Amino acid sequence: MNNIEELYKFHKDVVLWVEEMILRNELRLRDVPAEIRRTSKLIYIAAFRASRNVSCFRYISDLQVLCEDIALLPDTDKKRKSELIALLSDTLQLSDYKGDERFEAFKKDMDEDVLRELHNYEYAHGKQLQAMLREYRTKNGIEGISKG
């Protein structure tokens, strides 16, 4: 095995260990160094799964960590930034806390740059979904749904 493979395996093991510690409530997302957190969206997912079962406050706290990490990522790291923006979008849309006053206040008070990135992501993916739907309808001879 070469050094790169060993390093990759070590990283994978660290991520799995961090996920397990978070899920067992022995470690909080904020306690994980940002350099490690940002390497795997699975760490954030584990944190959201754990905090969802604790409280809205804890869930929001973990969302704040994700937003801070997105804001601190350099624009040159587009791949990682877009992966974390996608995770943020999914997490906000699928949250059990939708409608909760604190959750809605958090969404309104998010960092302006993160909100802009989130908006751009959701707009681009909405356009992509519309194009895919048009292509599907055309391919299958389905007429568009009338707007009325």
Side-chain angles (χ1 to χ4, degrees), residues 18-74:
V18 168
E19 284 179 65
E20 185 178 318
M21 296 293 287
I22 288 173
L23 289 171
R24 290 193 319 206
N25 217 14
E26 295 175 10
L27 189 63
R28 297 277 309 268
L29 184 60
R30 192 169 293 283
D31 299 331
V32 179
E35 295 79 21
I36 295 173
R37 280 194 310 256
R38 292 189 301 232
T39 63
S40 175
K41 70 178 185 177
L42 298 175
I43 292 172
Y44 297 97
I45 292 168
F48 295 136
R49 283 179 57 203
S51 63
R52 181 183 70 213
N53 296 324
V54 175
S55 70
C56 183
F57 176 77
R58 172 123 169 230
Y59 193 78
I60 290 169
S61 175
D62 289 341
L63 277 169
Q64 287 171 327
V65 171
L66 175 58
C67 289
E68 291 165 12
D69 288 349
I70 291 168
L72 293 175
L73 269 173

Side-chain angles (χ1 to χ4, degrees), residues 82-139:
S82 61
E83 183 179 86
L84 293 182
I85 288 289
L87 176 61
L88 177 61
S89 176
D90 292 346
T91 303
L92 291 173
Q93 290 179 26
L94 301 173
S95 172
D96 294 343
Y97 293 106
K98 274 185 176 175
D100 183 288
E101 193 175 309
R102 295 163 295 185
F103 183 74
E104 298 304 324
F106 164 79
K107 290 189 332 188
K108 288 179 185 169
D109 295 336
M110 284 172 51
D111 177 82
E112 184 179 340
D113 292 333
V114 173
L115 275 174
R116 190 176 305 109
E117 296 259 2
L118 185 61
H119 175 268
N120 293 342
Y121 169 83
E122 290 176 350
Y123 178 78
H125 281 77
K127 290 292 184 188
Q128 184 179 18
L129 287 173
Q130 288 174 348
M132 289 169 64
L133 185 56
R134 271 193 305 276
E135 181 181 323
Y136 175 83
R137 286 179 177 161
T138 301
K139 180 180 171 184

